[in-house]
């Protein structure tokens, strides 16, 4: 049971961070399907940062610098999407798919280079990230995630920036007519999304294990976060609840063989499949009243009428 | 003079414009490929430099360029020809499923759908083929049919969800991809006891040894390329491309599909059943990808590894690159599939101690990225071409005097030039 709580909290934070990232991007009007790839790049850079930290570094330093590396690299990688889809008005879905393809390939090449030997497994120490609340071991990402959730909510609904961002996703022409720079707001949306996505990648990879094989990327977690975002109706607090819900399913796959579920003798894949099945079922029920940002996916053209 | 309606000239003009359009599309694709290759070379160069910079010898940069070219870039450029005929055979057997996945993605593009689910449909196709080969012990053509049906069924799901519930096909096919992968792996492995699974090799049975009747015949191609897995599958793929070309461009049904792709509402207004078109287009796309999965595994190129549940087959995603490069034109897909297969085969021949074969994936990823805004290059190239043509004609006209200009010429240039300005 403790395991269930531990992993549920862990994966809920990952899904929430990445889904919040997707929310910022889509609220500004850019579909960010590249979250999966951004997670891979963020995780990769964060892990490398942990590996190259000097031995004397304190836990706080390790966490701070690796998180900065993950978020920064995620934002830089997302800039590729922003440039293509905002400035060059490219198809956002295709651009995102390209970044997903690229991310795994880049991660493999870099991991093999860092490793020296011909494998894409990186080993690192995750002690700095772990702690306890009572009997439950939690990672530092629980706190980071909750703080960022709060900040996301405030930024999106209580600031001028958030209002403008949302306006660009709903009706960019109207936003432009009152002097909002739509291109700049969309750039901010995608960059924030990249930072949160990169951080989510680190949060997914580091706490549970000490070795990660980058051949597998983040095995669909970024796509699951997209479903969480849709299920959460592009709203931070609902995204949090949706993330908790999905993460229970995701957790079952991890702990199926070590808990009471083992008597069922179901293969792990059944549990891995569950969140994806759940999201299709949920999408079919909620699609009619979906409240997606109206202008998402449509490149903004100043001259368009 | 503008009143002169000359049907021949008009037809010629349209044909001319179509030709120029096609040429500029090809040009844009070539630009994407060249950018991909250049970036690939830069990656090779960086890796070579990092490897060589530690040994303390002078002129690291010069040697890095040499290494990057000799043990990396040359292989990518030569592709399968680097190790002919074996490599060529390998390239052909890789191009086969790529053509099918490219057709799958391209066919859906024509209906305005982005079939990111080709990977899952391909997985199901492979499953259907292997299932009928190992459990029902059917001959290869029945297995291929099964692969097609399985793929089609998997493609139908996002199609139905899109048509009836208006769920974005990208999201639902991403989900069906993973569901398909997990389901197929669970059934194929079956806790290690499945009849499809060879516990000694920890993969599915090697069809060539265990079930030879399920292997697609090669009519001597295997011997020719010294590569057992080069079969007549490639001809099926090319045939499929031609059939899809006819279906999309020469039939009423294909016209309806394209109409839905260009403007769903207009198509609906014109009396086209757009829901039916969406579902059928996804079914066809699924069938094509499934057929590709069948062709690959029933040629015995590789065995399925059901223990690997972490990543979807790359074939489906490379299919996106193939379709984009060809601007979804079924006949163009044949060539772009060979190009991607060429790069990937070459990537396998690189000196793996210095250059990981994933560099080939980086190149195709870069190509897809640039294809996303290929329209930009395309319009640039087209306006460049139009300007040049107008200039030449104007120059000729000026040289030979107004009188010798054929009556149609002036009307022929003017509208085109105007359009480019607009």
């Amino acid at each position: 049971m403790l395991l269930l709580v531990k992993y549920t909290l862990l994966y809920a934070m990952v899904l929430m961070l990445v889904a919040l990232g997707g929310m910022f991007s889509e609220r500004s009007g850019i579909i960010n399907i590249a979250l999966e790839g951004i997670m891979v790049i963020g995780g990769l850079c964060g892990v490398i940062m942990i590996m190259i930290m000097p031995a004397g570094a304190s836990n706080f330093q390790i966490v701070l610098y690796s998180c900065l590396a993950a978020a920064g690299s995620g934002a830089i990688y997302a800039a590729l999407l922003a440039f293509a889809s905002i400035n060059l008005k490219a198809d956002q879905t295709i651009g995102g798919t390209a970044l997903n393809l690229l991310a795994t390939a880049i991660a493999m090449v870099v991991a093999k280079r860092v490793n020296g030997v011909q494998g894409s497994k990186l080993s690192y120490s995750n002690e700095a990230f772990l702690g306890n609340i009572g009997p439950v071991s939690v990672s530092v990402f629980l706190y980071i995630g909750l703080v960022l959730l709060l900040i996301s909510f405030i930024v999106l609904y209580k600031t001028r920036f958030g209002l403008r961002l949302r306006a660009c996703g709903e009706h960019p022409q109207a936003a432009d007519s009152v002097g909002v720079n739509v291109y700049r707001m969309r750039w901010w949306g995608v960059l924030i999304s990249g930072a949160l996505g990169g951080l989510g990648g680190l949060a997914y990879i580091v706490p549970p294990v000490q070795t990660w094989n980058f051949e597998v990327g983040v095995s669909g977690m970024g796509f699951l976060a997209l479903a969480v975002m849709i299920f959460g109706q592009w709203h931070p607090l609902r995204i949090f609840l949706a993330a908790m819900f999905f993460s229970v399913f995701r957790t079952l796959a991890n702990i199926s063989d070590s808990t009471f579920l083992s008597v069922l003798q179901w293969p792990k894949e059944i549990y891995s499949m569950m969140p994806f099945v759940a999201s299709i079922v949920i999408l079919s029920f909620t699609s009619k009243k979906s409240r997606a940002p109206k202008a998402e996916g449509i490149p903004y053209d100043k001259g368009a009428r | 003079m503008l009143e002169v309606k000359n049907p021949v000239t008009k037809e010629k003009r349209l044909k001319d414009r179509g030709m120029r359009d096609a040429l500029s599309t090809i040009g844009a694709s070539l630009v994407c490929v060249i950018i991909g290759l250049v970036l690939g070379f830069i990656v090779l160069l960086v890796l070579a430099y990092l490897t060589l910079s530690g040994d303390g010898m002078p002129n690291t940069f010069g040697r890095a360029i040499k290494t990057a070219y000799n043990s990396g870039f040359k292989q990518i450029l030569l592709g399968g020809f680097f190790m002919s005929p074996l490599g060529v055979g390998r390239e052909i057997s890789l191009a086969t499923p790529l053509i099918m996945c490219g057709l799958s993605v391209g066919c859906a593009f024509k209906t305005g759908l982005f079939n990111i689910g080709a990977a899952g449909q391909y997985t199901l196709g492979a499953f259907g083929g292997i299932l009928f080969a190992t459990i029902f012990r059917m001959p290869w053509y029945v297995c291929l049919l099964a692969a097609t049906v399985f793929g089609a069924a998997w493609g139908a799901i996002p199609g139905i969800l899109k048509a009836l519930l208006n769920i974005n096909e990208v999201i639902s096919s991403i989900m069906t991809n993973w569901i398909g992968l997990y389901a197929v792996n669970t059934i194929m492995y079956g806790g290690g006891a499945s009849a499809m699974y060879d516990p000694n090799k920890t993969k599915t049975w090697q069809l060539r040894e265990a079930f030879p009747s399920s292997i697609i015949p090669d009519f001597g191609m295997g011997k020719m390329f010294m590569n057992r897995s080069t079969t007549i599958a490639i001809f099926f793929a090319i045939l499929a491309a031609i059939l899809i070309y006819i279906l999309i461009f020469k039939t009423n049904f294909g016209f309806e599909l394209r109409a839905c792709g260009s403007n769903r509402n207009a198509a609906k207004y014109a009396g086209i059943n757009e829901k039916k078109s969406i579902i059928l287009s996804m079914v066809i796309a699924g069938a094509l990808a499934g057929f590709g999965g069948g062709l690959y595994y029933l040629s015995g190129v590789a065995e399925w590894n059901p223990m690997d549940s972490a990543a979807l087959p790359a074939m489906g995603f490379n299919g996106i690159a193939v379709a984009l490069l060809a601007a979804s034109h079924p006949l163009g897909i044949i060539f772009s599939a060979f190009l991607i297969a060429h790069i990937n085969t070459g990537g396998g021949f690189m000196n793996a101690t210095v250059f990981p074969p994933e560099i080939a994936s980086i190149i195709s990823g870069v190509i897809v990225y640039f294809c996303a805004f290929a329209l930009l290059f395309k319009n640039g190239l087209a306006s460049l071409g139009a300007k040049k043509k107008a200039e030449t004609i104007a120059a000729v006209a000026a040289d030979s005097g107004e009188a010798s200009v054929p009556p149609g010429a002036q009307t022929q240039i003017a509208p085109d030039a105007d359009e480019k300005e607009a």
Side-chain angles (χ1 to χ4, degrees):
Chain A
M1 202 58 203
L2 283 179
L3 267 180
L4 182 72
V5 175
K6 175 188 160 190
Y7 279 109
T8 304
L9 285 177
L10 189 79
Y11 289 130
M13 285 307 123
V14 175
L15 287 173
M16 189 195 73
L17 281 172
V18 182
L20 284 177
M23 179 194 75
F24 272 106
S25 167
E26 301 218 347
R27 276 293 176 117
S28 77
I30 303 290
I31 294 178
N32 191 349
I33 209 170
L35 284 171
E36 175 98 357
I38 292 171
M39 280 179 80
V40 173
I41 296 293
L44 176 76
C45 293
V47 163
I48 290 176
M49 185 54 108
I50 299 174
M51 290 169 73
I52 61 172
M53 285 297 278
S58 70
N59 282 355
F60 175 74
Q61 281 173 319
I62 295 177
V63 172
L64 179 71
Y65 287 120
S66 60
C67 284
L68 283 180
S73 58
I76 292 170
Y77 197 61
L80 288 174
L81 176 71
F83 179 66
S85 56
I86 301 171
N87 299 71
L88 299 181
K89 302 184 174 56
D91 187 310
Q92 297 167 8
T93 325
I94 296 173
T97 308
L99 292 186
N100 285 338
L101 289 177
L102 266 177
T104 324
I106 292 175
M108 293 276 280
V109 171
V110 173
K112 281 183 178 173
R113 166 60 46 184
V114 171
N115 238 354
V117 286
Q118 294 307 305
S120 49
K121 281 195 175 117
L122 293 184
S123 299
Y124 46 87
S125 154
N126 62 3
E127 272 169 41
F129 292 86
L130 302 178
N132 281 303
I133 302 181
V136 185
S137 71
V138 294
S139 79
V140 63
F141 291 107
L142 180 64
Y143 311 111
I144 296 179
L146 291 176
V147 170
L148 285 176
L149 172 68
L150 195 68
I151 294 178
S152 302
F153 179 78
I154 294 173
V155 165
L156 200 61
Y157 287 104
K158 306 286 173 196
T159 64
R160 202 158 57 175
F161 173 82
L163 185 66
R164 289 177 174 177
L165 190 84
R166 284 182 288 143
C168 291
E170 293 294 334
H171 201 312
Q173 279 82 7
D176 201 358
S177 74
V178 290
V180 176
N181 187 337
V182 177
Y183 296 129
R184 191 189 294 161
M185 293 314 287
R186 288 193 164 182
W187 261 95
W188 275 116
V190 176
L191 289 182
I192 294 173
S193 139
L196 288 172
L199 201 58
L202 188 68
Y204 178 60
I205 289 173
V206 169
V209 284
Q210 309 234 26
T211 308
W212 190 262
N213 186 352
F214 277 93
E215 203 178 349
V216 306
V218 291
S219 51
M221 211 58 180
F223 295 130
L224 212 52
L226 277 179
V228 167
M229 177 194 70
I230 297 173
F231 186 38
Q233 292 290 308
W234 296 268
H235 186 285
L237 303 181
R238 288 192 199 166
I239 283 176
F240 171 69
L241 295 178
M244 292 299 278
F245 176 78
F246 274 81
S247 116
V248 172
F249 285 106
R250 178 63 184 77
T251 305
L252 290 178
N254 257 42
I255 61 168
S256 59
D257 45 356
S258 58
T259 50
F260 60 95
L261 289 167
S262 57
V263 288
L264 287 174
Q265 300 260 320
W266 285 0
K268 203 174 132 195
E269 276 81 7
I270 301 278
Y271 299 102
S272 310
M273 202 194 296
M274 277 180 181
F276 293 104
V277 176
S279 51
I280 284 207
V281 173
I282 289 166
L283 285 177
S284 5
F285 283 117
T286 55
S287 66
K288 290 280 181 199
K289 48 180 182 185
S290 171
R291 288 221 304 263
K294 277 205 185 61
E296 74 170 3
I298 309 162
Y300 177 61
D301 186 353
K302 265 191 174 176
R305 299 276 158 239
Chain B
M1 200 151 94
L2 279 166
E3 290 305 309
V4 181
K5 288 273 180 215
N6 188 344
V8 181
T9 333
K10 196 174 177 188
E11 208 168 73
K12 187 173 172 290
R13 197 175 79 205
L14 282 175
K15 208 173 164 188
D16 249 28
R17 194 184 299 168
M19 197 65 185
R20 196 189 306 150
D21 205 43
L23 280 179
S24 59
T25 307
I26 293 172
S29 301
L30 284 180
V31 171
C32 292
V33 172
I34 289 168
I35 294 175
L37 286 175
V38 168
L39 282 176
F41 184 68
I42 292 174
V43 173
L44 290 172
L45 196 60
V46 170
L47 288 177
Y49 188 83
L50 289 176
T51 313
L52 294 173
S53 61
D55 62 4
M57 302 242 284
N59 192 17
T60 317
F61 189 70
R63 284 183 302 135
I65 291 185
K66 222 179 202 170
T67 317
Y69 181 75
N70 280 332
S71 50
F73 202 59
K74 196 166 92 186
Q75 281 82 336
I76 286 183
L77 285 185
L78 288 175
F81 294 97
F82 184 75
M83 208 176 273
S84 191
L86 182 136
V88 179
R90 209 185 275 179
E91 194 174 317
I92 291 174
S93 39
L94 183 61
T96 308
L98 277 176
I99 293 177
M100 297 313 300
C101 287
L103 284 175
S104 167
V105 178
C107 187
F109 264 137
K110 285 282 175 207
T111 321
L113 301 168
F114 184 29
N115 181 23
I116 202 172
Q121 294 144 13
Y122 176 84
T123 305
L124 263 284
F127 173 71
I130 297 173
L131 177 78
F132 273 65
T134 54
I135 308 272
F136 304 117
R137 306 185 175 224
M138 290 287 170
W140 58 274
Y141 41 89
V142 181
C143 299
L144 271 181
L145 193 68
T148 315
V149 171
F150 272 71
W154 212 243
I157 299 173
I160 291 170
L161 290 174
K162 167 91 177 181
L164 302 184
L165 296 168
N166 200 23
I167 298 177
N168 187 333
E169 79 281 2
V170 177
I171 302 288
S172 58
S173 19
I174 287 172
M175 303 299 156
T176 50
N177 272 350
W178 289 97
I179 296 172
L181 180 72
Y182 289 130
V184 162
N185 282 348
T186 311
I187 299 171
M188 278 191 177
Y189 180 57
S194 160
M196 299 163 79
Y197 181 71
D198 178 2
N200 294 328
K201 294 220 167 76
T202 69
K203 285 185 173 178
T204 53
W205 288 101
Q206 216 167 2
L207 296 178
R208 197 177 301 280
E209 264 83 58
F211 306 95
S213 69
S214 67
I215 288 284
I216 299 170
D218 65 353
F219 294 120
M221 279 176 76
K223 202 168 270 169
M224 195 163 105
F225 292 110
M226 291 159 48
N227 186 341
R228 291 198 303 175
S229 52
T230 311
T231 61
I232 55 168
I234 183 68
F235 298 114
F236 291 127
I238 292 174
L239 192 69
I242 295 169
L243 286 179
I244 289 295
Y245 171 75
I246 295 171
L247 179 83
I248 287 185
F249 289 104
K250 308 286 175 198
T251 65
N252 283 341
F253 174 66
F255 179 78
E256 289 185 7
L257 290 187
R258 280 185 294 141
C260 284
S262 322
N263 189 334
R264 215 173 136 185
N265 293 327
K268 199 172 163 186
Y269 183 69
I272 294 169
N273 185 344
E274 99 279 13
K275 293 195 163 139
K276 191 184 97 183
S277 296
I278 287 175
I279 296 176
L280 280 179
S281 158
M282 281 308 284
V283 168
I284 293 171
L288 290 168
F291 189 62
L295 286 179
Y296 190 69
Y297 287 95
L298 294 172
S299 291
V301 185
E303 283 76 44
W304 189 270
N305 177 7
M307 306 295 282
D308 181 13
S309 294
L312 286 156
M315 208 68 81
F317 298 110
N318 282 330
I320 298 174
V322 167
L324 284 172
L325 255 185
S328 304
H329 194 288
L331 300 181
I333 282 172
I334 301 175
F335 297 100
S336 60
F338 268 103
L339 188 99
I340 299 284
H342 191 79
I343 293 172
N344 272 303
T345 313
F349 289 132
M350 288 189 305
N351 179 357
T353 49
V354 195
F355 305 123
E358 284 77 24
I359 289 171
S361 316
I362 291 192
I363 295 177
S364 43
V366 169
I367 291 176
V368 180
Y369 180 75
F370 281 95
C371 279
F373 45 85
L375 208 66
L376 214 69
F377 304 136
K378 192 178 146 180
N379 290 344
L381 286 173
S383 64
L384 205 74
K387 214 180 274 171
K388 256 200 191 132
K389 197 175 164 197
E391 271 166 13
T392 1
I393 293 180
V396 171
D399 277 359
S400 52
E402 277 306 314
S404 67
V405 180
Q410 209 58 45
T411 44
Q412 191 179 331
I413 316 160
D416 273 16
D418 283 349
E419 265 164 42
K420 291 303 164 212
E421 292 299 318

